[in-house]
Amino acid sequence: LPRRVTAGEVVTIGIADVIVLSRTLTITGPGFGAVVAYLVVAALLLSVSSLLAAVVLLGVPLLAVLVGPLLGRLQRVETTYRERQGALAARFVDIVGGLRVLSGLGGKDVYAGRYRRDSAKLKEEGYRVGAVTSWIDALGLGLPALFLAAVTWLAARMAAQGDITVGELVAVYGYVAVLVMPVAFFIEGGYDLSRGLVCARRVIRFLDLEPEFADSEQQLESAVEDGPSSPAPLSDPASGVSVEPGTLTALVCARPSDAARVADRLGRFVPSDATWGGVRLDAIALPRIRERVLVADNEADLFAGTLREAVEGRRERDEEAITEAVRAAVAQDVVDGRRHGLDSRILAGGRDLSGGQRQRVRLIRALLADPEVLIAVDPTSAVDAHTEAALAARLRTARAGRTTLVTTTSPLMLERADTVHYLVGGRVAATGSHRELIRDRAGYRALVSRGAEDEPGAEGRRMDLGHMDLGHMDEGHMDEGHMDKRRMDGSRTNEPGPYEEEAAR
């Protein structure tokens, strides 16, 4: 979903659009009453004068037609306004979500300035909506009064000519006066309906979203049910990365977004040519991949509930397994620091936990799931060096004999890896052990020693946030909805990463 709809648009749809829709639905009862009043008055006038009845029958729809062009224009300007509103809400969500990182990098003022400019543009669109709305409101009050005057004048002429009596003239005035409210409501209802149509299209378009790719029944029937029957290599031809079964493999690159793309392809979150044991991942039933391959990133949701519920996932775990996972994730302090330990409640999103604590809670959950293949995206980016060293050692022990891929630039984690792939430009440039690459590759050595700026060709990539270079922080590099948190600090989260730590130092 985040790849296709911004968080700001979801907020706008879920609040503003739904409120407009609910208001539009309220026209049903009064609208039915207005139609009944219109038909009853026309029938009563028919007993007085067929001409007056015809004027009412044709005049009321004509008034609605007169307002039609304005309603059409309202739909157009309202659509533009809603789109800008969603984009602005997305930028606000980005600012709030990445506030700490932006502050650390000195980008907060730049981003806030852009928010102010977009807010001014939204205000201009609001004026356009208001201009059309004011005309519709004016016509909603003025046209019924003019209609009443016109029918009364015609009836008075007929009374003066002796076609109807004075008593019938009074009755005609009374009947048509009753129509003032229904006619006004027809115009107001048309206004509400126009806005409701704009919002309904946005809501329906959102609800009609399908997964980027999902197994159809035909694909499920033709798919290899369980994938490889034994541990097998997981390969990504697009990058050249190959993960051997039963090993701890590390992925290192200057752009965290490149590593994240490899993780997405190997986890089958995007279409690709990735294979598992020589079998294309898209030929394996998706539910089987989800059962056996787990991509653990730092955007995974933590729901409100107890800490135990947060780490257990779908199945209950015994106390011994949870204790082992807590130890492997170096998270005993997280449990001990809560009043009721594992039975303590946490807020939605883990808002009452620090960035490092949230990261370790997610890691506990990933280790408890015990997948055949674990792909961990920067699992130590928000912890201190002491915790990172312990976590690296315990993660290797906990995953012994199981296939594990870790994206990281941490020397402490890389030292524990069996194989390290060094990516440049999204492709494997070198493969070997951490010590071999330190010895043979100057670019790798500079990167893992936090000196990426010294690497040849690194100019212009300093403090690279995946297309968000602070030296060129413009619309083309940091547009709304694409401030991907995993590209900001290498971890898909707003928790402190290596770049933020550098800035702080």
Side-chain angles (χ1 to χ4, degrees):
L1 185 64
R3 294 188 183 97
R4 303 165 71 182
V5 183
T6 65
E9 190 170 357
V10 174
V11 170
T12 304
I13 290 171
I15 299 176
D17 290 344
V18 171
I19 288 175
V20 172
L21 276 176
S22 65
R23 178 178 174 180
T24 302
L25 292 174
T26 64
I27 72 174
T28 306
F32 178 76
V35 171
V36 170
Y38 163 63
L39 295 175
V40 168
V41 168
L44 291 170
L45 286 176
L46 189 60
S47 65
V48 176
S49 168
S50 56
L51 176 61
L52 292 174
V55 169
V56 170
L57 283 172
L58 296 175
V60 172
L62 180 62
L63 294 178
V65 170
L66 289 175
V67 184
L70 283 173
L71 296 179
R73 177 169 172 74
L74 176 64
Q75 285 195 42
R76 292 192 295 273
V77 295
E78 185 83 16
T79 298
T80 304
Y81 178 80
R82 291 293 178 189
E83 289 172 353
R84 284 193 178 276
Q85 189 179 38
L88 188 66
R91 192 176 295 283
F92 179 76
V93 170
D94 281 347
I95 291 175
V96 174
L99 192 57
R100 278 198 293 171
V101 178
L102 284 170
S103 297
L105 296 173
K108 183 173 65 174
D109 292 339
V110 176
Y111 218 59
R114 188 171 305 145
Y115 180 87
R116 283 191 292 271
R117 291 194 298 273
D118 287 350
S119 181
K121 292 177 182 177
L122 179 65
K123 183 175 67 175
E124 292 174 5
E125 292 297 332
Y127 285 146
R128 292 189 180 96
V129 174
V132 179
T133 301
S134 64
W135 274 105
I136 294 174
D137 287 343
L139 292 176
L141 294 172
L143 285 180
L146 291 175
F147 179 69
L148 173 61
V151 175
T152 303
W153 176 82
L154 180 60
R157 289 288 302 271
M158 294 176 68
Q161 294 171 1
D163 296 331
I164 62 174
T165 66
V166 175
E168 288 174 330
L169 170 61
V170 175
V172 168
Y173 176 82
Y175 295 152
V176 178
V178 169
L179 283 182
V180 170
M181 286 302 295
V183 171
F185 182 81
F186 284 144
I187 296 173
E188 182 183 348
Y191 164 70
D192 287 338
L193 191 59
S194 295
R195 298 186 67 209
L197 285 172
V198 172
C199 297
R201 291 191 190 103
R202 286 166 52 84
V203 171
I204 291 172
R205 189 167 60 244
F206 175 70
L207 294 178
D208 274 347
L209 286 176
E210 296 286 347
E212 285 187 79
F213 60 98
D215 290 332
S216 64
E217 292 184 8
Q218 184 178 1
Q219 288 174 315
L220 285 172
E221 291 174 1
S222 62
V224 178
E225 277 300 310
D226 299 316
S229 58
S230 59
L234 192 61
S235 303
D236 173 36
S239 63
V241 170
S242 180
V243 183
E244 293 300 316
T247 64
L248 175 59
T249 304
L251 200 59
V252 178
C253 57
R255 291 181 181 271
S257 56
D258 289 341
R261 290 189 190 101
V262 174
D264 283 344
R265 290 194 290 266
L266 292 178
R268 198 183 159 191
F269 285 103
V270 294
S272 72
D273 297 325
T275 62
W276 190 14
V279 180
R280 285 178 61 99
L281 285 179
D282 54 15
I284 302 174
L286 190 59
R288 308 297 179 265
I289 294 177
R290 292 290 176 261
E291 290 171 2
R292 301 175 62 184
V293 180
L294 172 63
V295 177
D297 64 31
N298 291 315
E299 282 186 347
D301 282 307
L302 294 175
F303 299 100
T306 66
L307 188 57
R308 184 187 303 276
E309 291 169 344
V311 301
E312 281 184 335
R314 292 180 296 175
R315 298 185 296 273
E316 289 187 7
R317 309 287 181 171
D318 59 61
E319 205 66 32
E320 183 179 352
I322 295 177
T323 301
E324 283 299 315
V326 169
R327 183 183 179 282
V330 196
Q332 193 60 51
D333 62 306
V334 180
V335 178
D336 294 342
R338 314 294 291 185
R339 182 177 227 179
H340 301 293
L342 286 169
D343 295 317
S344 301
R345 296 191 65 80
I346 61 173
L347 299 177
R351 294 194 306 272
D352 52 343
L353 301 173
S354 69
Q357 287 176 332
R358 287 195 297 271
Q359 192 169 50
R360 285 177 286 161
V361 167
R362 291 183 178 110
L363 186 57
I364 296 171
R365 182 168 59 186
L367 292 173
L368 274 176
D370 195 26
E372 183 177 331
V373 178
L374 173 61
I375 302 173
V377 180
D378 236 338
T380 62
S381 63
V383 299
D384 58 74
H386 175 75
T387 304
E388 189 175 35
L391 201 156
R394 294 178 189 180
L395 178 62
R396 179 179 177 84
T397 302
R399 293 289 299 170
R402 311 283 271 173
T403 306
T404 307
L405 174 66
V406 177
T407 72
T408 184
T409 56
S410 164
L412 297 170
M413 182 66 72
L414 295 169
E415 183 70 34
R416 300 283 179 173
D418 298 304
T419 304
V420 178
H421 293 298
Y422 173 46
L423 271 64
V424 176
R427 295 282 304 174
V428 173
T431 299
S433 69
H434 173 58
R435 292 182 181 275
E436 290 171 346
L437 294 177
I438 281 284
R439 182 187 67 230
D440 301 334
R441 303 289 301 202
Y444 177 87
R445 184 167 57 249
L447 178 61
V448 301
S449 63
R450 310 302 195 220
E453 69 277 6
D454 299 326
E455 183 183 352
E459 186 178 356
R461 194 183 63 219
R462 65 191 182 284
M463 301 296 283
D464 182 10
L465 307 180
H467 311 300
M468 195 189 82
D469 186 64
L470 285 177
H472 302 83
M473 210 170 185
D474 58 17
E475 290 291 342
H477 287 77
M478 195 175 175
D479 57 339
E480 67 274 356
H482 288 81
M483 185 179 157
D484 192 338
K485 299 184 189 73
R486 72 184 178 196
R487 299 174 188 172
M488 292 175 63
D489 60 8
S491 64
R492 301 194 191 192
T493 184
N494 59 358
E495 296 156 8
Y499 292 128
E500 186 182 356
E501 292 171 4
E502 271 189 14
R505 286 198 294 271

